[in-house]
Amino acid sequence: MGENEFFLQQKKQKQKKQCNSLFDKEHYNKPHQRVQVEFYMNENTFKERLKLFFIKNQRSSLRIRLFNFSLKLLSCFLYIIRVLLDDPTQGLGCKELNRSCSNQNYTPGTIDWSPIIWVNRSLPLWGLQVSVALISLFETLLLSYLSYKGNIWEQILRIPFLLEIINAVPFIITIFWPVLRNLFIPVFLNCWLAKHALENMINDLHRAIQRTQSAMFNQVLILISTLLCLIFTCICGIQHLERAGNRLTLFDSLYFCIVTFSTVGFGDVTPKIWPSKLLVVIMICVALVVLPIQFEQLAYLWMERQKSGGNYSRHRAQTEKHVVLCVSSLKIDLLMDFLNEFYAHPRLQDYYVVILCPTEMDGQVRRVLQIPMWSQRVIYLQGSALKDQDLLRAKMDDAEACFILSSRCEVDRTAADHQTILRAWAVKDFAPNCPLYVQILKPENKFHIKFADHVVCEEEFKYAMLALNCICPATSTLITLLVHTSRGQTAPWEAFRQLTGTKQTLNRESQQSPEQWQKMYGRYSGNEVYHINLEESTFFAEYEGKSFTYASFHAHKKFGVCLIGVRKEDNKNILLNPGPRYIMSSTDICFYINITKEENSAFKKQEKHRKKHESKLSCHGASRLPVHSIIASMGTVAIDLQDTGCRTSSGPTLALPSEGSKEGRRPSIAPVLEVADSSSLQTCDLLSDQSEDETTPSDDEVSASLEYAKGYPPYSPYIGSSPTFCHLLHEKVPFCCLRLDKGCQHNYYEDAKAYGFKNKLIIVAAETAGNGLYNFIVPLRAYYRPKKELNPIVLLLDNPPDMHFLDAICWFPMVYYMVGSIDNLDDLLRCGVTFAANMVVVDKESTMSAEEDYMADAKTIVNVQTLFRLFSSLSIITELTHPANMRFMQFRAKDCYSLALSKLEKKEREKGSNLAFMFRLPFAAGRVFSISMLDTLLYQSFVKDYMISITRLLLGLDTTPGSGFLCSMKITEEDLWIRTYARLYQKLCSSTGDIPIGVYRTESQKLTTSESQISISVEEWEDTKDTKEQISYRNNHRNSTSSDQSDHPLLRRKSMQWARRLSRRVPRQSGKTAEKINQQRMNLYRRSERQELAELVKNRMKHLGLSPAGYDEMNDHQNTLSYILINPSPDTRLELNDIVYLIRPDPLAYVPNTAPIRKDSFCNTVGQDTREETQL
């Protein structure tokens, strides 16, 4: 039975499923019937609909509150009309109640209350007031009902509700009891209800228009309305109570209230009865309580607004031009650098600067921004670039540009970059059309902001400049002076600089200096890079169709300008010195170095005598150019150019030497051809110079050429690095061989001396091997650097490098690393500091932040000073965080010359210069720089959008096919026959196509009192013979860069004899001679101190097993000074050991595609594709 029941149940379930399936099919086959469903956001009740209309909906609620505000104002207006029409002597209310009313005047001690209780109210006026009261009461009751939340006493005991009952209910009672129609009702209290309605209306208005309300505006509105309500209440109350007294009019009551509340109190109008006096006391007490509270809130909001900076109005943003500066923390140095550089250009004088910073304004910044010059043009807003509200306050969408700067003083520089990246993304999302100028710290983070219009990576520029400083001295000073245009705004001659856009204000101080080198250095530091279209230029228009080198030489000879590069109209790439084969076109944009731009110059052609004109035409025909002088438009700065006329027969000529010339004749220089001739260009020399291919190479050179190849580095440590053609190894070096101080299975060397390098070392002392350090190696291993001049690079790192960094550097020849610190003398000796050409000290990231800002460089400065004392012959290049600390480099407290330079720097700073340190010897010589000095490069790009590209090409960070590179040459005795800078310009342009842009000059320091030079007058203590020997010695060594007294025992013996004589004899004069004696004794003391330091170094070298033979403690550079002459005048005379900065053409640009490639120049193992891509 159980089984049968089970089968029956299964049968019924199957039948049920079949029925359901048939029903579903019939249901889906029928046409669908749609049902309309209404959804409500709120409960579908009458109360909720009323609440939605009167309270929740912003627009309808705004209309209701505006109507309520109008009713209250109307009731107050009707009250004033009633007062003006009322006559207190009629006593209408008394007659209607059959009371005896007397019209007698006020007598002291008695009060007639009938004029206070009863008023004269006409029937039409009563009807209007009753209507207003009915509407107001109905609205109040309805809103109280809609906002009821269960507590009825909370609704009843509200002050607005009580005032509404007091002002509206009596009027409604008079409808049913007409005898009370003239009863006094304090309708003037409706002013407080109007104030309450106004506040609610303003809130609804901001909600309706969906704008962020201003707390300051609301608070000012509340304060004004409160003050008006107090005065209006007092006026109406005094006037009504004095109906039983002096019977004052509304104007008299107004006069009394103003005099009383202003604490003047004339006393001509006073209340007579005690009720009015009591009202005055009450109103004064209320004012003393309410108004201070309102003023306190207003002052608090004002202070908060001052901190946050308020808003930049939309009207100003649309009618005026402004830029936004976004920073994480604003320091006074950064602010002044930005403002001085930004407002250095005349067309930016009408721009406004809006600073958006999340921190509160610093005290120093606040004081600076209160100066009228900046307070009218700089607006500080406290806010974050990641908030759209703050970007809206700054009107970022209407800004001409946005500058986003990183905080380089942060301990975690990567985190600072991440903040910068987020700011850039936020600004780009909010204002896509706003140009972005971004400063980034780490190169590996640069690819995140590729969308930015201009990007400056700090570590890329820093390491590239440090590298070029090792092969082109003072490159950092050269770049710094080229990218600076700003000066202090306090100088009276600042207006001229702003009009001309030049740095000629620097020349004013230099001309007042007694030092000739300061005059020349200051005069030529005013040169900058400018651009102009060829067809619109007076400088270059006549050279259309001519070669680039021809245009550059003749423009410098004629106008004193240095043409350094061009850009084609249809190409965005800038070509620095494209070479003599480049033909100038009318649409080319020319980039040149000059004291001022061409637009701010006037040209005056000097009249010549007919004889000179005829001689000019007879010598060179029409190709010779007339004499010109360029004078700045303001008439203050004039550049007198060299006479370009034909020289007389007695003078030197630039023509080619003839075959029959005499042997004693000075060599001539070939002219620069208008169009390049292959026979006149040393293209082979260009390539051979770079690859040092000699006709008879030595065995070592052959082996070196086999070890090295030219190609692109196969591995880059970060994304976004520009590919550079470099000297590479055929096979990468094992990581163990990169360690300098530890031997491995491939070599057993444990110090730099054991390697036996032919060239001197370049040592880089850094904290970590960051990706930016890769940019130090690349310029030193570029393909255009001769192989025989490659210096070994040793990285002295505090922390071991990462594997990915070793992967990047293992392909470069002669690159090593060592874990150590410059604090340790043993580490310095192992890495080869005694025979190093340059020691580069990079500022450590861990010390960039300090409690006292300028103390961030303390450790670096002391370490460098120690190196300076121990290894005085070592060329040390230092990077500092703060430029103001440059005065401590190679510090000598009692050196008279250093003290004189310190006074000069102080004068420069007092006059407002932000390059006051430019005359300091370490900066002028290029031995120290600060990366913050390149901040102006980003600011200058707003006006000169090409400056970043030109700087990257000069530093070797970018390589464009056909663009030249920066290098240098030294003037030797064999080169002195050239004599002048103009002849050198011609010689280079006509032979190799190089373009000189400046001179690095080293001179003897005449007024120095350094340790290596004992120069005192000994006429009173020594015989004539000794004196002449000393003078002849100094004259023979005037131009030398060092004076080694250890090689002159006679001079040392004489100095000791002078010291003994000075100690025995008494000077005849106790003034200057006594001071000289003290200086000599100090020098002798220092000499003994340096001998002690030398013994210390030699002992440590012996302890480490190093030979002290290469250590020379007496050879130093303390008696020399070096400086830069940027684009000197053509008649500048060359001196021995001058180093000339050159922009040399790209050697690969002259290699034809069909010509066979020399084996030594390009290695096939690197790859044929990369070789073909670099050829033009």
Side-chain angles (χ1 to χ4, degrees), residues 145-355:
Y145 167 72
L146 295 178
S147 59
Y148 172 70
K149 297 181 180 179
N151 190 352
I152 189 171
W153 293 107
E154 182 182 355
Q155 301 293 328
I156 294 176
L157 297 180
R158 291 188 304 113
I159 294 179
F161 183 82
L162 295 177
L163 289 178
E164 194 69 49
I165 295 299
I166 293 173
N167 293 326
V169 171
F171 280 108
I172 298 175
I173 293 176
T174 59
I175 298 176
F176 305 100
W177 197 356
V179 78
L180 298 177
R181 194 184 67 183
N182 290 327
L183 181 67
F184 170 73
I185 302 173
V187 183
F188 59 83
L189 295 178
N190 276 332
C191 65
W192 296 98
L193 296 177
K195 169 183 171 295
H196 181 69
L198 179 63
E199 295 175 8
N200 294 332
M201 183 179 65
I202 293 299
N203 293 332
D204 288 340
L205 177 63
H206 285 292
R207 288 195 303 164
I209 63 178
Q210 296 182 354
R211 294 279 182 89
T212 304
Q213 62 181 359
S214 172
M216 177 63 67
F217 173 77
N218 285 358
Q219 192 61 37
V220 171
L221 183 65
I222 292 173
L223 177 62
I224 294 175
S225 59
T226 302
L227 187 60
L228 291 177
C229 289
L230 282 173
I231 294 176
F232 184 73
T233 303
C234 188
I235 290 172
C236 295
I238 295 298
Q239 185 275 332
H240 180 73
L241 292 176
E242 283 298 315
R243 284 164 59 93
N246 286 342
R247 297 174 182 173
L248 301 177
T249 62
L250 278 177
F251 182 77
D252 293 336
S253 183
L254 172 63
Y255 171 75
F256 169 75
C257 291
I258 296 298
V259 171
T260 302
F261 278 97
S262 63
T263 69
V264 176
F266 290 117
D268 52 346
V269 178
T270 57
K272 297 299 182 181
I273 61 176
W274 68 266
S276 57
K277 294 179 180 179
L278 180 62
L279 178 63
V280 172
V281 172
I282 294 174
M283 295 305 298
I284 291 177
C285 293
V286 172
L288 291 177
V289 173
V290 175
L291 292 182
I293 295 176
Q294 299 293 335
F295 278 112
E296 181 185 4
Q297 295 179 358
L298 181 62
Y300 174 76
L301 291 175
W302 176 260
M303 293 174 63
E304 291 296 323
R305 182 175 181 177
Q306 288 297 106
K307 294 179 181 179
S308 61
N311 297 329
Y312 186 71
S313 66
R314 177 68 61 177
H315 175 72
R316 292 182 61 182
Q318 294 177 351
T319 57
E320 301 169 349
K321 295 181 179 180
H322 76 286
V323 298
V324 181
L325 176 63
C326 295
V327 292
S328 58
S329 61
L330 187 62
K331 301 296 183 181
I332 185 64
D333 294 337
L334 186 146
L335 175 64
M336 294 312 300
D337 285 345
F338 178 83
L339 294 180
N340 287 331
E341 182 65 33
F342 185 79
Y343 286 112
H345 303 278
R347 73 181 184 91
L348 301 182
Q349 300 305 310
D350 296 332
Y351 277 66
Y352 287 83
V353 175
V354 179
I355 302 174

Side-chain angles (χ1 to χ4, degrees), residues 618-631:
S618 63
C619 289
H620 296 286
S623 63
R624 296 295 296 169
L625 300 173
V627 176
H628 285 71
S629 66
I630 173 173
I631 302 176

